[in-house]
Amino acid sequence: MNKMLDVIPALPVADWIENLMDFLTENFANLFTFLQKAGQNSMDAFTNLLMLIPPIIFILLVAVIAFFATKKKFGLAAFVIIGLIFIYNQQLWEQLMSTVTLVVFASIIAIIIGIPIGILMSKSTIAENIIKPILDFMQTMPGFVYLIPAVAFFGIGMVPGVFASVIFALPPTVRFTNLGIRQVPKELVEAADSYGSTGWQKLIKLELPLAKSTIMAGINQTVLLSLSMVVIASMIGAPGLGRDVLSALQRAQVGNGFVAGISLVIFAIIIDRLTQSLNKKKY
Amino acid sequence: MEKIKVEHVTKVFGKNIGSALKLVEQKKSKTEILNQTGATIGVYDATFTVNEGEIFVIMGLSGSGKSTLIRLLNRLIDPTSGNIYIDGQNISKVNKHELRKIRREKMSMVFQNFGLFPHRTILQNTEYGLEVRGVPKEERRLKAEKALDNAGLLPYKDQYPSQLSGGMQQRVGLARALANDPDILLMDEAFSALDPLIRKEMQDELLDLQQRVKKTIVFITHDLNEALRIGDRIALMKDGQIIQIGTGEEILTNPANDYVRSFTEDVDRSKVLTVENAMIRPVTINVEVDGPKVALQLMREEKVSVALAIDKQRNFKGYITASDALAASKRGEMSLKEIIRTDMQTVPPDMLIQDVLGIISDSPTPIAVVKEGKLLGVLIRGVVIETLSSSNGNGGGNNE
């Protein structure tokens, strides 16, 4: 039986992809170099800026934001203070700041790309049918695989880390934007149309405001996914807390591994709760 | 004057539109067509006109295509074939830009579930139409506040729709439509989601409003009582086709077919039938010519105890009772003029039967139907009740 299957010679799919990558790296070398340089510089600047803020001020600032974002409840604010002091205490402050930079850049880029794609998807069923399988592909492909083209395009460091994170973290924002806009009640869309709204007016005045909480749920997912990818990206030289986890793994240091891991968990909980609390209804 | 003209408009949803249209011509039912072609008939071959300043009601059960039809008028749904003219302009042919202009300036829509934007305040909702038109902020705020003030809703302007009751929300929906000052109001089951008391109140308000602003209103409903109450003319729809168009009176008294008849059977007839439908031919006596003996003879012949007194021009004078006529005759009088009684109630022919019921039950005599002094007929309690209970609408006998 296997003979029948062997009639088809092994397809050089891997070679094809390699060739495509070679083609891209050779022909767009300038673009990639530019992006690498610009990205690296702006991220360095951002990290340095964060490092300029004295940790105590930084901690208090985040605690105050948490306090007001959670409708003046003390829970999250207290957690922020204790958690961040713990990270500082474990000498992981600089790594935390690098991780913050990576997550902020990856999330913002993913949101900037993701929301318009989501809007496009919601407006056109053809676009939805094309984009949906691509999103499925992006989400099910193991995150590590994205590290390879990232290195090919951008070498090692922060920029390839952000590149891989954006690809990995993009889908929820796109999906939830699409869903949120499609969920706007038909009668309201008809009302907007019947008063002669243009497509833009309808989007800005009705659909995006009503889809906001759904989109925010997607953004929350994107932020958390980009954090998880940022950790993996330490394998290609992205700095941050992930690098400590990785080096602990390589040297079998259970204690150090857990300390860095717990720091990541603290950070994850803070950004999760903060992004969720931005998502309140006022009506 | 014609405001809206709809000519042979058809809307088919789904695929196989051509074969579905052929089946419609063969008079196949909606379900048959759906089973054979997979296409759904929304509206088939609708033709009607709506006059300026008229309340035109489109009425039918759910699935009859009435909601599709109203959406064809502002092209929220594009027709498959046919033409729709607004002020002579064929809106089924206009481009997107012109269509937006028409929607912004000529027609506003009111929705069954109010269609208010939950994230906007009442004021922001009311000024929406003006906002998308690009009216400056100050001006649109003033106009919106005025529209809210007319509806008595100004104190609520900074609240959100979810904070208001259903009736108030729909008043906002109406205020939003009116803030635009359109010529045409499209009302899609606008009062159907409201409870009966509020609904009646809103119907009254709409009629009051219509007295003042004289818009052209197309009103969709599934409730015949509502249609009869507010409609100047009514179009009845079934399976996407318009079955009958006419005034409420015409539809009730001359149902086009059994379907319409079955529809009209459960109507509270007292609310739509007028005195004219229930009055009967009176036994009259000309008091300028006839004397007591003729009167007695006539009453004996007609088997009545009362005759209505008129003059040569058929002007209503009062009535003569048999016993008075007998007494006068015994006294040897030649004229009836001395014994005319004038305490008989009169009503105009276009009065609703509903409103007559109170008068008739209090009155010891029949009631005269009089128009401009002339006697048209007479109302007798038994016949009025018979008219109300009759199923074919012609009950009440000979209308003169």
Side-chain angles (χ1 to χ4, degrees), chain A residues 186-188 190-199 201-202 205-206 209-210 282-283, chain B residues 71 76 100 103-104 109 111-113 115-119 128 131-132 160 176-177 180:
Chain A
K186 189 168 171 270
E187 200 181 64
L188 298 185
E190 281 189 334
D193 281 334
S194 73
Y195 283 94
S197 314
T198 61
Q201 285 173 330
K202 191 165 61 173
K205 292 175 197 293
L206 175 70
L210 285 190
K282 69 168 192 284
Y283 44 86
Chain B
R71 280 166 177 71
L76 284 177
R100 257 202 312 270
R103 284 176 177 174
R104 285 176 180 182
M109 195 160 175
F111 293 86
Q112 177 169 14
N113 296 307
L116 298 180
F117 303 143
H119 62 292
Y128 185 81
E131 188 179 322
V132 297
Y160 287 95
R176 174 174 68 177
N180 246 354

Side-chain angles (χ1 to χ4, degrees), chain B residues 43 58-60 64-66 69 235-238 240-242 259:
Chain B
V43 171
I58 300 170
M59 148 138 182
S64 62
K66 57 191 191 303
L69 184 53
L236 258 156
M237 284 189 83
K238 188 199 177 201
Q241 304 201 31
I242 294 182
Y259 177 74

Side-chain angles (χ1 to χ4, degrees), chain A residues 80-215:
Chain A
V80 164
I81 291 171
I82 295 168
L84 291 184
I85 287 177
F86 171 78
I87 295 173
Y88 181 78
N89 177 265
Q90 296 298 308
Q91 328 266 305
L92 291 170
W93 191 257
E94 194 178 339
Q95 286 89 324
L96 177 67
M97 290 304 114
S98 296
T99 302
V100 170
T101 305
L102 285 166
V103 169
V104 166
F105 272 74
S107 307
I108 289 177
I109 294 171
I111 292 163
I112 290 173
I113 299 173
I115 290 180
I117 295 177
I119 293 170
L120 174 71
M121 239 174 123
S122 71
K123 293 291 169 188
S124 152
T125 306
I126 296 172
E128 189 183 30
N129 290 338
I130 295 170
I131 295 169
K132 236 182 188 159
I134 298 176
L135 293 178
D136 294 338
F137 177 90
M138 284 163 70
Q139 273 187 307
T140 44
M141 178 69 79
F144 295 99
V145 177
Y146 298 127
L147 297 179
I148 308 166
V151 171
F153 293 149
F154 300 111
I156 58 168
M158 278 183 146
V159 175
V162 168
F163 173 82
S165 301
V166 167
I167 296 178
F168 187 69
L170 189 62
T173 295
V174 179
R175 281 187 207 278
F176 278 72
T177 304
N178 176 38
L179 180 71
I181 293 178
R182 283 182 186 265
Q183 272 178 343
V184 173
K186 189 168 171 270
E187 200 181 64
L188 298 185
V189 176
E190 281 189 334
D193 281 334
S194 73
Y195 283 94
S197 314
T198 61
W200 274 112
Q201 285 173 330
K202 191 165 61 173
L203 187 68
I204 304 291
K205 292 175 197 293
L206 175 70
E207 289 169 329
L208 286 181
L210 285 190
K212 198 186 108 199
S213 60
T214 310
I215 296 174

Side-chain angles (χ1 to χ4, degrees), chain A residues 35-53:
Chain A
L35 286 177
Q36 150 75 20
K37 286 232 167 85
Q40 187 69 48
N41 288 340
S42 46
M43 279 188 267
D44 283 345
F46 191 76
T47 313
N48 289 336
L49 194 73
L50 289 178
M51 292 300 292
L52 275 181
I53 306 170

